[in-house]
Amino acid sequence: MKKKLQTAFTTRQYMLSKDFEIYYYNEKYTSKIEMHTHNYYEFYFFIEGDVQIQIENEIYPLKCGDMVIIPPGRRHRAVVEQSNCPYRRFVFWVSREYAGNLMEQSAEYGYLMQQAQVQGKLIYSHDVVEFNTIQYKIFQLIEETQMERYGREARIPLLVSDLILHLNREIYEKEHPVKIKEENLYQNLIYYIEQNLEEDLSLEKLSSVFFVSRYYIAHIFKEQAGISVHQYILKKRMQACREAILGGENISKVYERYGFQDYSSFYRAFRKEYGMSPKEYREEQKVIFK
């Protein structure tokens, strides 16, 4: 199957499509390529060969799993040694317009392209597992472009978007491990709080559940949500109380269940949140839904 997906190499350095082109090349030796530029983005995935890549005045040796991103206008060429070793790689060209359309949908499509364009960060390495995942997605896309199956025109853009987003996500998460850890902790805190509104949700309790300090929890929550843990829990408990009251439950039992010490503290919190007392709120809703 993979052999059928190969493309015969040519020295063409311009796009025939207005959106993207993707190729799988595998040959013994490639004709010498002179330094050149593109008016599109090139994603180059190196698999095998005795190859270096020259970008402007720098030459970089390549190893299996390396990904090179070359933005428009950057002079470059592959430097291939003449040998019996196969030279295998994927080449993925994406036009500026197509990249721009993706970034209008979500800025997250453009992380790597912006890193290359603005910061000059061009080369990334992958381990075997990571690169196998990338190869699988590329072969899926190439296979779809070469077949005439029902839904082809709809599926191809999905596969392109999936590949580009996967590459951006993978590198972003590698470069921001602390941020990802914080986001995961925040999401887990949200889930735990919402599932345990009737239980003790003090910072000490949350600290013991998640094995991090209460100060760290308070910091992460404030940074992610914009309000304190206490404020968030109070809001969620008030919503739960409101729904229970509208459902006909006894007001005294409701406020006790959700951790309010007495009716006066519950009354003040409810009035602050909804602008009226619990009883007034229930009566008003009865009138509205008559």
Side-chain angles (χ1 to χ4, degrees), residues 149-168:
R149 297 184 62 188
Y150 178 79
R152 174 183 181 274
E153 296 303 320
R155 188 163 187 252
I156 287 174
L158 296 178
L159 292 174
V160 173
S161 298
D162 177 60
L163 174 60
I164 294 175
L165 190 58
H166 173 82
L167 297 171
N168 281 283

Side-chain angles (χ1 to χ4, degrees), residues 240-254 257 282-283 285-286:
C241 287
R242 181 194 63 184
E243 291 166 7
I245 290 169
L246 292 179
E249 292 191 45
N250 183 282
I251 292 175
S252 297
K253 291 181 179 178
V254 168
R257 185 198 312 157
R282 182 167 61 188
E283 293 305 313
Q285 296 302 309
K286 281 182 181 178

